[in-house]
Amino acid sequence: QVQLVESGGGLVQAGGSLRLSCAASGRTFSSYAMGWFRQAPGKEREFVARITWSGGTTIYADSVKGRFTISRDNGKNTVYLQMNNLQPEDTAVYSCAAAQRRSGVTFTESYEYHHWGQGTQVTVSS
């Protein structure tokens, strides 16, 4: 079982930056793909970014490409989401998720993940 705890959310002006962290429990963190998703009020949860177990490959949603960077430190059991040039449309609850390593999966869909954090609020003012 993996437990995930996000931190780093807050209120920021448009054009600003935040770095989210997601700390994972357990000794098998390096065998999990990690993803970030977000959900704005009245909208469905959407994929933001994901990183493979080794950190070798990343995928981003088109809406955040070039502005957000996902990374991980397997020694610290932590995955990060650096968010730059934030815009009001980025306002949402951001959640990290973990999925066990397996082939033939893109890890860009929420149903592919089995462990979720509680989420952290990001609010961007205009």
Side-chain angles (χ1 to χ4, degrees):
Q1 185 75 7
V2 176
Q3 292 186 324
L4 306 172
V5 179
E6 301 97 335
S7 61
L11 174 64
V12 64
Q13 288 188 330
S17 298
L18 284 174
R19 187 175 84 153
L20 305 183
S21 299
C22 173
S25 65
R27 294 179 292 177
T28 59
F29 178 72
S30 61
S31 66
Y32 285 84
M34 299 297 297
W36 284 98
F37 290 77
R38 66 187 183 186
Q39 187 166 20
K43 295 187 177 181
E44 293 188 353
R45 178 186 289 168
E46 66 172 350
F47 168 77
V48 175
R50 71 86 162 141
I51 188 167
T52 52
W53 31 92
S54 64
T57 62
T58 57
I59 294 178
Y60 297 91
D62 288 343
S63 59
V64 307
K65 203 171 292 183
R67 300 187 298 124
F68 291 12
T69 302
I70 187 171
S71 62
R72 67 189 296 161
D73 184 336
N74 285 346
K76 295 183 178 179
N77 280 16
T78 302
V79 63
Y80 305 97
L81 185 69
Q82 177 67 43
M83 306 185 294
N84 297 329
N85 191 22
L86 283 160
Q87 299 300 315
E89 53 265 35
D90 295 316
T91 295
V93 174
Y94 285 71
S95 299
C96 67
Q100 283 194 311
R101 178 177 183 168
R102 59 194 185 277
S103 59
V105 178
T106 63
F107 298 109
T108 59
E109 302 289 345
S110 59
Y111 64 80
E112 295 170 332
Y113 291 83
H114 304 109
H115 308 282
W116 291 84
Q118 82 289 349
T120 185
Q121 176 71 46
V122 172
T123 303
V124 185
S125 63
S126 57

